[in-house]
Amino acid sequence: MSRYDAIVVGSGPNGLAAAIVIAQTGRKVVVFEAEPDIGGGVRSAELTLPGFVHDICSAVHPFAVASPFFRTLPLASYGLEWVAPPAMVGHPFDDGSCTLVYRSVEQTAAELDGDRRGYIDLIGTLVDAWPLIDTSVLAPLRWPSHPIALSRFGLQAMRSAERVARGAFAGARARATFAGIAAHGLLPLDCRPSAAFGLVLNVMAHTAGWVMPRGGAQQLTNALAAHLKSLGGEIVTGTPVRSVDDLPPARSILCDLSPKPLLRIAGHRFPLWYRRKLERYRYGMASFKVDWALDAPIPWRAEGCARAGTVHLGGTIEELARSERDAWEGRIADRPFVLLAQPSRFDDSRAPNGRHTAWAYCHLPHGSDADMLSRIEQQIERFAPGFTERVLARSVRRPADFERHNANLVGGDIGAGVTDLWQLFTRPTWRAYSTPVRGLYICSASTPPGVGVHGMCGYFAAQRALSDVLRD
Ligand SMILES: Cc1cc2nc3c(=O)[nH]c(=O)nc-3n(C[C@H](O)[C@H](O)[C@H](O)COP(=O)(O)OP(=O)(O)OC[C@H]3O[C@@H](n4cnc5c(N)ncnc54)[C@H](O)[C@@H]3O)c2cc1C
């Protein structure tokens, strides 16, 4: 007799999602987590000073709200509350102006001067189509329920962000704004399908919103864990799984792992051809992250940026494209593109009264040990003179630190593997969630639909197990 129907290795959002799907059917499931805390890429801690709550990895969660699976769960009843800033994204320029992406398409377009029509045609049209295609976009390749709407999206999404931006917009401001959103995808902006990230995230600004959990990202994890426990699921922390052979008996094992750590714990069970395929899986550029405790809000020169939850620092599309290409090709950008969030502006539980937090990262070459702190702070100073005078304390995470705390983030790649055209559809192999070992599945962001806090990789992996070894 198996003690468990399913064992999940890793408590990231995909691991918890997989465990919930299986527990929902009344089956017995346990999650083993290596770290003392649950959540993987969705955790918070007082990284700088007491009373300042920082997000260790993810901070901004449009994917979680948009997730076809998470939105079916009663997470609000476990205390999860979303905080929506007045503007989702701010993009400042050297002349002291900025663009803002609001929840409303019209309001956003109205500030784009000559590109108002272009924005409505590109983004507004996709916003209208989103309810028809969201479950196909956040899913593995399969026959869609609305093929025409999806193919309209796909034709644009499969292009490079630079091409889409230059084709849709005449002005530098709209082009730069779209490029900043697309650069979340960890691909050079002239590389296909970097437009996919730009389009999906831009649409989500108008549908789900670029929101943050009140109290920090950990609150999302805590709500998922509380729901899992209410369904009878167990979670065991501080227990790194060193080999699948050490696990208690179970009918299925779902690994919230990217290929490299998966090979470490299960490689000996795989046939050589599959091991080779996993070994060939490509990881991408790294990230260098800084969290700050501040004695006042960030003094943006463009005052509109004070209303944005996320601010993109890098100026023009040309500068952004150069920065991303540098990181991709192994060079350190002098002026790296910086993605910044300022949660305490909109959530006073994040810092002591009158004080603030900021979260930012930039991309750099895979595995690099370059120190990007001063370059990141110079980029912030460029658009917010006086920023560094407000710093009370800082906490830095280099690529090696990411990997030390989470084996999935190989070389500091926070995307769990490159999402170029090939690996978008065959993550981590054409088998996606299944492996050649019966009952052993992969449920991490290294499977479709990939990076982001949506839990859909876990959802689909668990469905695969349920229709396979857990069928009866
Ligand atoms: C710095 C950073 C910023 C990000 N920002 C955002 C953002 O703002 N919005 C967004 O949507 N996404 C963001 N992401 C991406 C997002 O966090 C990930 O895509 C997501 O967490 C992937 O979830 P997962 O469940 O696949 O794996 P993970 O979150 O990586 O979780 C895997 C878990 O497995 C555990 N584990 C690993 N090996 C073992 C083992 N041998 N035994 C037991 N446990 C093990 C790890 O400790 C970890 O808890 C960010 C990521 C990082 C790192």
Side-chain angles (χ1 to χ4, degrees):
M1 278 284 285
S2 290
R3 209 175 132 211
Y4 291 103
D5 293 302
I7 291 176
V8 178
V9 179
S11 68
N14 286 310
L16 293 175
I20 290 171
V21 170
I22 290 169
Q24 280 173 332
T25 66
R27 289 174 171 82
K28 200 164 162 46
V29 58
V30 60
V31 179
F32 288 109
E33 167 56 49
E35 291 281 295
D37 308 308
I38 54 168
V42 190
R43 283 178 298 153
S44 312
E46 292 180 341
L47 296 176
T48 54
L49 297 171
F52 291 82
V53 180
H54 303 279
D55 292 329
I56 299 173
C57 298
S58 62
V60 185
H61 291 99
F63 281 113
V65 176
S67 164
F69 178 56
F70 284 170
R71 66 184 188 224
T72 66
L73 304 179
L75 300 179
S77 65
Y78 299 102
L80 179 66
E81 192 188 330
W82 294 110
V83 175
M88 305 299 147
V89 182
H91 192 119
F93 297 94
D94 287 318
D95 65 1
S97 70
C98 71
T99 52
L100 292 173
V101 178
Y102 299 97
R103 186 68 184 258
S104 150
V105 174
E106 266 300 339
Q107 192 183 1
T108 307
E111 293 191 7
L112 292 177
D113 315 320
D115 284 315
R116 178 182 168 277
R117 193 68 253 161
Y119 193 83
I120 291 171
D121 285 349
L122 179 68
I123 303 300
T125 309
L126 285 176
V127 167
D128 293 341
W130 188 244
L132 303 179
I133 62 173
D134 63 342
T135 51
S136 301
V137 174
L138 293 173
L141 252 195
R142 56 185 181 171
W143 186 252
S145 41
H146 293 90
I148 296 172
L150 188 69
S151 57
R152 273 202 209 108
F153 163 77
L155 283 175
Q156 294 285 6
M158 290 303 114
R159 300 168 72 200
S160 77
E162 269 196 290
R163 268 187 180 266
V164 168
R166 292 185 196 288
F169 308 124
R173 291 156 58 85
R175 285 178 177 177
T177 307
F178 182 74
I181 295 172
H184 283 253
L186 295 147
L187 273 183
L189 299 179
D190 57 355
C191 193
R192 296 193 299 151
S194 54
F197 293 95
L199 293 170
V200 168
L201 285 170
N202 206 332
V203 166
M204 284 183 181
H206 302 298
T207 52
W210 284 32
V211 294
M212 308 177 201
R214 185 174 302 284
Q218 187 75 47
Q219 301 308 319
L220 171 59
T221 291
N222 291 352
L224 289 167
H227 185 52
L228 173 61
K229 286 180 185 162
S230 78
L231 298 168
E234 299 168 38
I235 302 178
V236 182
T237 54
T239 309
V241 174
R242 304 200 193 283
S243 165
V244 286
D245 299 346
D246 301 338
L247 293 171
R251 294 167 72 197
S252 63
I253 301 171
L254 292 97
C255 296
D256 188 8
L257 301 178
S258 72
K260 196 170 168 193
L262 175 68
L263 280 166
R264 266 202 297 271
I265 71 160
H268 59 287
R269 293 223 188 151
F270 296 140
L272 185 64
W273 65 266
Y274 186 72
R275 266 200 326 259
R276 288 274 142 79
K277 274 191 184 296
L278 291 185
E279 281 162 6
R280 282 200 293 268
Y281 185 76
R282 286 167 298 124
Y283 290 91
M285 45 182 150
S287 290
F288 185 108
K289 175 170 175 280
V290 190
D291 288 279
W292 295 269
L294 304 170
D295 69 2
I298 301 175
W300 298 112
R301 197 184 306 125
E303 68 79 31
C305 286
R307 300 201 296 282
T310 305
V311 185
H312 291 155
L313 306 171
T316 61
I317 188 171
E318 290 77 16
E319 191 179 324
L320 263 63
R322 204 175 317 120
S323 157
E324 296 309 286
R325 182 130 298 276
D326 279 347
W328 183 257
E329 289 180 353
R331 295 182 296 273
I332 301 298
D334 271 342
R335 291 176 132 193
F337 170 57
V338 173
L339 304 87
L340 181 145
Q342 41 185 4
S344 59
R345 283 258 187 186
F346 317 100
D347 175 2
D348 58 14
S349 73
R350 302 295 294 266
N353 205 6
R355 305 290 166 101
H356 283 272
T357 60
W359 163 110
Y361 66 92
C362 73
H363 301 142
L364 74 167
H366 180 89
S368 172
D369 60 2
D371 188 349
M372 303 301 283
L373 175 63
S374 62
R375 290 179 179 87
I376 289 178
E377 291 194 343
Q378 275 163 24
Q379 282 288 58
I380 304 175
E381 277 283 329
R382 176 177 161 195
F383 299 103
F387 166 76
T388 41
E389 287 150 35
R390 300 193 169 178
V391 175
L392 296 170
R394 34 172 92 69
S395 159
V396 168
R397 283 214 167 198
R398 296 175 168 77
D401 301 325
F402 281 122
E403 191 171 350
R404 197 168 23 257
H405 287 284
N406 183 349
N408 281 353
L409 309 180
V410 176
D413 174 4
I414 67 171
V418 171
T419 311
D420 57 9
L421 271 184
W422 181 247
Q423 279 196 173
L424 177 66
F425 297 117
T426 59
R427 281 173 92 76
T429 72
W430 59 268
R431 288 171 170 262
Y433 316 101
S434 300
T435 73
V437 176
R438 189 169 156 72
L440 182 58
Y441 303 90
I442 311 170
C443 67
S444 71
S446 297
T447 61
V451 62
V453 178
H454 40 63
M456 296 310 293
C457 311
Y459 170 84
F460 285 110
Q463 294 293 349
R464 184 71 57 87
L466 286 171
S467 64
D468 191 3
V469 291
L470 298 180
R471 205 169 39 224
D472 43 55

